[in-house]
Each structure stands twice: as C-alpha cells, then as structure tokens.
Amino acid sequence: MSNSASDSVPHPLPAVTLDDVRGAQKMLSGVARITALAHSHHLSQLTGTPVHLKCENLQRTGSFKLRGAYVRIAGLLPEERAAGVVAASAGNHAQGVALASSLLGVRATVFMPVGAPLPKVAATRDYGAEVRLHGQVVDETLAAAQEYARETGAVFIHPFDHPDVVAGQGTLGLEILEQCPEVRTILVGVGGGGLAAGIAVAVKALRPDVRVIGVQAQGAAAYPPSLQAGRPVSFPNPATMADGIKVGRPGDVPFGLVRTLVDDVRTVSEDALASALLLCLERAKLVVEPAGASPVAALLSEPGAFEGPVVALLSGGNVDPLLMQRVLTHGMAAAGRYLSLRLRLTDRPGALASILRVLSAADANVLDVGHVRTDPRLGLTEVEVELHLETKGPAHCAEVRTALREAGYTVID
C-alpha cells in the first residue's frame, strides 16, 4: 500500500495469482451463484457518483464463504478427503464449509461457540455438517477444532488464511469486472483479509487503475496497525456488532497480498454500520449483516471520498433476528429517527392525553410512555413522563421539542 509507513520493507511475492483465481472460477461454475449487481439510486445521489451493490448476501449459504471453502476442499487429496474436514466458526464460514463438504461428499465437523445464534447452528446442521458447541468465544472454539484435527487427522479448513481460500474469494473480483467494466472503486469489508486479498489479486492483474478499498470496524481494526508495522499484529479485545469481520489478527497469506495490492483500508463506526444496515433494508430492500454492510457504512461516513463508479460488496446476509432488531433500533437512533425525552408536569386527570394531542399534531409516533411519581426531586403534585418517539429525522426531532415547549411543557434533556 502506497500510504503505509512500511513501504521500505520489501513486499513478499504474492501467494495467489490471477491464474489461481480463474481456476477457482471454473471450479465454482454451477456451484456458486453469480450474484446480482444492483444500482443504488439513493447512494448515487448521496455520493454524486454511480454506486452499485454487489449482492453476495444472496449467495448460497448467505455469504461469500462458500467460494473459498469449496475451492479449498475440492483441492484436497483423496486420502485427505477420506479423513474429513473440520472448521471453527460462529456462522458464515461454518455454513460455507458445511455445504461445500456436502456437495463434495466429504465428512465435515464444525465447532461453533456455545452462544452461536440458533438459526446459524441449525443452518450448518441442515447443510450436512456435524456441529459441536464448544467455548464461549471463537478463540476457544478454534483451539478445540485444531485439537480435533490433530487427534483425528481431519483437515482444518481455515476461514481466510490459505491460498485456495483466497483464490476462491477472488472470483468475486472477476464477477465485478465482468458486470461493471467501468468500475473505478471497489469497497470490501475486511476481517482476516481473505476476501479483500482475493479480489485485489484478480482486479489489479486485469485493471490496475481500479482502486480496491478495504473497510474495517473501528472496534476490530487490526489491519491499520499491522500495515504500519509491516507485519500482522494482534488487535486487543476486538469488539463490534459486525461479527463477520471481528478478527483480532490478519492472516499471514492475505496480509502480504493486502499490503501489496489493496490501495487503502478505512475504518467505520458502530453508528455507521447500524445506519448502513438500515439503509440496505429500507432503500435497497436487502437483508445484510453488519459486516456485509461495512462498505455502505464507508460511503455514508465519507460520501465524496471515492471515485465512481463505485461497487460496494455486500458480502453476507446472515444476521440473527434478535441482533437485527437491536441493530435496526440503533440505526434508527443514529439517524435521528428516535427521540427520547422527559417532561415534568402537574399530576392531574387528562394531563397525559393533552401531551399526546400535541405529539399527534406534530406527527410523532409514540412508542413507549413511562410515569415517575416517586422521585424525591419531584414536588407533591408533580409527575415526570418519559417518552420514546419515532420521528422522521433530526429536523423533525427539533420540531417536536419546539411544539412541546410552545404548549407550555418543560422538556428535560
């Protein structure tokens, strides 16, 4: 990367080539879907340049992971296939390995954390894998899977740190160039780096003028310090709602390719991720997990920063319904669509009805109402009312506050 402070360190030779990616594409013919490229009018207006969404959330198993898993398992020797494969994952990689193994007739065992979302556990089993729940965090699950591989001889299928996996993910780069030959910038979420590395291998070999930009969550951004150091370094205690890119250390194989070929790695906030997920759902009618929405979050964070046409890769759509509910609520709050406030008023019959009439006239939707009568700060005849409202955005929030004040209510922030 030209913007890395470690440019003086010699770059390692790429472990994956364009020929590898093209070979993977032939191998995946009839297995992985060629997912749609959808133009986004809203994002195009926001950024002032054409923006297209590469809908890999509509891939089989709901994410890009099938591509790399299938290529890796298909390349095993007969005796390796006979020993079976093992993987560790909280979701997307688990399902990719399960389906790929089933299609290839290979026995698969997948270790998942004890707290993995039930829909992802059920889907992994439905795709044909034996699921073993172990550990509270992915590191513990990974250790259990690697121990199982040592004990049984099963081949461990890494989610991103293997040349075959990188080549399989790189087929997305070929598809993007075929579907949008005029593309100038490709935005892709980054965890361990296998997806970004594979896409960069394909794109830079055919179109070196196209910028490939990685996007990481701020709470799990291991690549910026690693690029600064010139080697993979661990990010302490990664924390983000985007579990698909919550990786504490870049993979050795992807890192060399990302460092050499990827133009930049940006970071996005949790608010931006939540807003991006909400935008995909409302404007594009697409269910996208937080990690898959990270490229859209980058566009929302810096609308004018990317030369167009832009392709934003929606890498996955496997989101737990409970997480979806929380993220959507957070996204609406971040977009100014929720308003929480407290009012102090005289406790008398009809007082609440009067407030609701003001809110109705202001076109605010009441979601929840709470009464507090026992706070020692309140006078004998006073009551505090807590309101949670759905609004149309920041300007509407200001209008609602003004309407309440003009009606004589004291709004407590």
Side-chain angles (χ1 to χ4, degrees), residues 107-130:
R107 184 178 70 258
T109 303
V110 176
F111 284 76
M112 304 182 76
V114 173
L118 292 179
K120 293 184 178 182
V121 174
T124 303
R125 286 189 173 126
D126 288 345
Y127 287 127
E130 177 190 348

Side-chain angles (χ1 to χ4, degrees), residues 160-162 166 192-195 197 223 250-259:
F160 50 81
D161 204 9
H162 192 279
V166 172
L195 179 60
Y223 261 93
D252 293 328
V253 172
F255 178 79
L257 295 165
V258 169
R259 184 170 180 265

Side-chain angles (χ1 to χ4, degrees), residues 28 135 190 237 265 273 307:
L28 288 167
V190 177
N237 303 316
V265 176
L273 287 167
E307 181 184 0

Side-chain angles (χ1 to χ4, degrees), residues 345-361:
L345 60 151
T346 302
D347 189 9
R348 58 178 176 77
L352 181 58
S354 297
I355 295 173
L356 296 179
R357 282 193 291 270
V358 174
L359 295 174
S360 177

Side-chain angles (χ1 to χ4, degrees), residues 169-219:
Q169 322 301 31
T171 58
L172 269 164
L174 298 179
E175 284 184 23
I176 290 171
L177 293 183
E178 291 164 3
Q179 293 173 312
C180 186
E182 68 277 14
V183 64
R184 299 294 299 167
T185 302
I186 297 173
L187 297 174
V188 53
V190 177
L195 179 60
I199 287 175
V201 167
V203 170
K204 291 298 185 178
L206 296 170
R207 289 281 307 280
D209 58 303
V210 175
R211 287 175 60 79
V212 179
I213 308 294
V215 184
Q216 291 206 290
Q218 288 176 355

Side-chain angles (χ1 to χ4, degrees), residues 17 23 34 36 45 81 104 113 135 146 150 174 191 203 207 257 266-267 275 302 305 319 336-337 343 350 354 387:
T17 67
I34 298 175
Q45 283 188 323
R81 291 196 186 195
L104 291 164
Q146 291 172 327
R150 287 190 291 269
L174 298 179
V203 170
R207 289 281 307 280
L257 295 165
R266 308 271 180 123
T267 61
S275 297
E302 300 179 89
V319 56
R337 301 268 296 278
L343 305 177
S354 297
L387 297 165

